[in-house]
Amino acid sequence: MKTAWIRKSGARRVVVFFCGFACDADFLRESDLPDGCDAVSVYDYASLDFDLDVSGYPEIGVAAWSFGVWAADLVSEKLSRADARAAVCGSPYPVDAERGIPPKIFEATLNSFDERAKEKFYRRVCGGALGADGLRRLSKRGARELRAELESLGRGFSEMRAPKPRWTLSIAAKSDRIFPAENLARAWKRTPPIFYEGAHLDMRLIRRALVHAARPFSKVGGAFERSAGSYEENAKVQGEVAKKLASMVISRGFPRGERVLEIGCGTGFLTRELAPKISPSVWFLNDLSEKMCLMASRGAGCRCETVSGDILKCEIPDGLGGVVSSSSMQWIPDLPSLFGRLAEASKKGAMLAFSTFGPRNFEEIKMLCGNSLYYPDALEIRDMLTRAGFECERVEESVSRANFGSPREVMRHIALTGVNGRFSAFWTPARFREFSARYRAVFGDSGGGVGLTYNPVFIIAHRV
């Protein structure tokens, strides 16, 4: 196995991406990567020896595509600290009649792999049409060299037993012409795959896996719980966002007596503004932190039940008449999966109302530090909702600027609102002085202060 660094900036987290068969060092671009992480690509399995040292990184994530899923399993002990592992269009059982590529098809591909067969294979990988991006992504090596790589993989599949570690996300394509969709469904019984429209090679799916590997959801709760005491005093913008969202929900005439789920309740900004005014039969409070759920319940004024934990993994109550969330959806690493689960748990006509943040949020920090969450834009979120079975009624966004006396106050504000995990870095005095000088030069105002951009997005949809 060969390796190539795609980004190496000294971030706390590194994502190790295992390419599929017939990939070169340039399969991934830096623009494919989410912010806030380094990344290294593993490719070319003509040799199955693995020599990669990422011991200097406190955090590790793994993403893998196609045959790279098996390769990642093979060397999983060397990456045992990985806390998020996302598989795309691949199987732990790569050549298998029921759970992978049928053996006869694999053998026929291997035995006939020449230049003409290579082009046909590339077309199948791309769904039948070899576009410019697919051509650039797949290997420039000749058919003879690629056949040697495929032979090496074939020997490995039959001779080496790859461990089966726990993958935290599996993604599959409905129009995959390499791995039959029904086989992938059988291969991933422990982590059922999320099926999307697309071909075997679809960079949208690979990017979703990279986002998952770069930002483990489980790390967010601790940061917010530690900031619980300071959150409301410092999260003025989030408080105003919750008030506006509550007003939008109430103005629509939310029906009384419904079972309502609030995702990411935090200390209870939205709970206090909304729950007492719509009189739900049960208000289900979700947050990664049990402590936050208990804090929020004090202001609900109604019957509350706690659903603490990762909303992508915990059991969602059924028969929901409404789902609400304020300033938390940006932390969800797989929104399409969440929207699908919410659709299944909601009654026809149920409201889904939430606020999140758009791509311009914290743009100053992103420009100066290179660290940021991945913020999908409103059109992308609308598309996710439509695919899940929701119809958007209202989409609204705005851009505002919070003013601070200095860059140090900006970073303190970020820490006191629990978001510091995304912008952690080793700050030497000299490095922070340089950061402050650049911040003032680029984003300072005439009064000597500096600004920080917020880009709230509000969405109201209903279950079709």
Side-chain angles (χ1 to χ4, degrees):
M1 303 183 196
K2 296 179 181 178
T3 58
W5 285 91
I6 311 301
R7 181 191 293 153
K8 196 173 186 180
S9 63
R12 283 183 54 82
R13 187 170 186 86
V14 62
V15 173
V16 183
F17 178 76
F18 288 80
C19 297
F21 161 63
C23 297
D24 292 333
D26 58 353
F27 178 82
L28 281 186
R29 306 167 179 160
E30 185 167 358
S31 60
D32 295 323
L33 304 176
D35 297 317
C37 69
D38 287 349
V40 59
S41 183
V42 182
Y43 67 100
D44 191 349
Y45 304 109
S47 166
L48 296 177
D49 294 332
F50 181 72
D51 183 19
L52 175 66
D53 183 9
V54 291
S55 60
Y57 285 89
E59 301 175 10
I60 301 173
V62 171
W65 171 64
S66 192
F67 282 165
V69 173
W70 177 85
D73 278 351
L74 185 67
V75 302
S76 60
E77 291 183 0
K78 296 183 179 180
L79 299 171
S80 59
R81 289 192 294 112
D83 53 14
R85 296 169 53 85
V88 184
C89 297
S91 169
Y93 316 94
V95 178
D96 187 281
E98 297 292 320
R99 300 172 296 179
I101 297 173
K104 289 184 179 180
I105 294 178
F106 178 81
E107 291 166 7
T109 302
L110 175 59
N111 293 334
S112 63
F113 203 87
D114 56 16
E115 289 297 335
R116 184 177 179 183
K118 169 188 166 183
E119 182 177 347
K120 290 175 64 178
F121 174 74
Y122 280 10
R123 288 185 182 278
R124 291 207 316 276
V125 168
C126 297
L130 188 57
D133 188 60
L135 185 63
R136 193 207 69 78
R137 300 277 181 180
L138 295 171
S139 180
K140 315 302 185 299
R141 287 174 281 153
R144 179 178 296 180
E145 188 175 349
L146 290 176
R147 181 173 177 175
E149 180 186 359
L150 197 57
E151 288 175 339
S152 172
L153 283 165
R155 288 192 300 271
F157 298 156
S158 62
E159 297 172 3
M160 299 180 181
R161 172 174 261 180
K164 303 297 183 293
R166 176 71 174 180
W167 290 83
T168 53
L169 174 68
S170 58
I171 295 173
K174 293 180 180 178
S175 302
D176 196 324
R177 295 175 62 179
I178 303 299
F179 283 90
E182 60 273 18
N183 284 16
L184 289 183
R186 284 188 288 264
W188 293 100
K189 289 185 177 180
R190 291 181 62 188
T191 312
I194 302 166
F195 280 93
Y196 297 98
E197 299 293 341
H200 184 66
L201 174 52
D202 188 322
M203 290 308 300
R204 294 172 301 174
L205 307 189
I206 291 175
R207 291 187 186 106
R208 282 174 182 157
L210 290 168
V211 167
H212 180 86
R215 181 164 52 93
F217 194 38
S218 60
K219 293 295 180 78
V220 179
F224 278 101
E225 186 167 298
R226 288 189 296 273
S227 69
S230 62
Y231 183 77
E232 295 208 3
E233 180 183 350
N234 292 276
K236 304 297 185 184
V237 172
Q238 289 84 348
E240 291 303 314
V241 166
K243 288 180 181 180
K244 180 171 180 176
L245 179 64
S247 177
M248 292 170 66
V249 171
I250 293 167
S251 67
R252 185 185 177 277
F254 192 93
R256 293 175 176 269
E258 296 286 355
R259 290 159 61 86
V260 179
L261 168 67
E262 181 182 356
I263 297 172
C265 62
T267 56
F269 272 142
L270 182 61
T271 313
R272 295 192 299 272
E273 292 291 332
L274 187 55
K277 299 172 184 175
I278 63 174
S279 301
S281 61
V282 187
W283 189 271
F284 295 98
L285 288 162
N286 163 262
D287 199 276
L288 284 170
S289 165
E290 180 79 16
K291 177 181 177 181
M292 292 286 203
C293 291
L294 294 174
M295 290 177 67
S297 68
R298 297 167 189 159
C302 62
R303 175 189 167 194
C304 292
E305 291 188 15
T306 296
V307 187
S308 61
D310 183 342
I311 194 62
L312 290 173
K313 298 176 182 177
C314 61
E315 184 175 352
I316 296 177
D318 59 8
L320 295 173
V323 179
V324 296
S325 178
S326 183
S327 303
S328 67
M329 288 293 193
Q330 68 274 11
W331 295 105
I332 309 294
D334 189 4
L335 282 175
S337 175
L338 175 60
F339 292 154
R341 296 190 69 204
L342 294 178
E344 292 177 0
S346 299
K347 301 189 301 185
K348 185 176 181 179
M351 180 189 292
L352 170 58
F354 64 92
S355 65
T356 182
F357 292 98
R360 290 193 60 186
N361 208 61
F362 286 11
E363 61 185 3
E364 298 85 355
I365 305 297
K366 180 177 180 179
M367 182 179 297
L368 295 175
C369 297
N371 290 2
S372 175
L373 292 175
Y374 168 67
Y375 297 106
D377 61 33
L379 289 177
E380 188 176 353
I381 294 174
R382 182 195 290 268
D383 180 63
M384 294 177 192
L385 288 167
T386 300
R387 291 175 184 274
F390 289 95
E391 181 178 344
C392 285
E393 301 175 13
R394 185 173 177 182
V395 178
E396 182 180 325
E397 70 175 299
S398 63
V399 176
S400 63
R401 174 184 165 110
N403 296 308
F404 299 89
S406 68
R408 186 177 295 279
E409 288 185 17
V410 171
M411 300 307 286
R412 184 173 183 272
H413 165 76
I414 289 173
L416 292 175
T417 52
V419 192
N420 53 306
R422 271 297 92 195
F423 309 110
S424 56
F426 180 68
W427 292 102
T428 63
R431 184 178 179 186
F432 192 80
R433 283 195 299 272
E434 179 187 359
F435 165 81
S436 297
R438 290 177 62 209
Y439 206 126
R440 290 185 183 279
V442 180
F443 302 110
D445 57 36
S446 58
V450 294
L452 181 66
T453 298
Y454 277 93
N455 180 197
V457 177
F458 301 87
I459 293 179
I460 293 183
H462 71 270
R463 178 73 170 92
V464 178

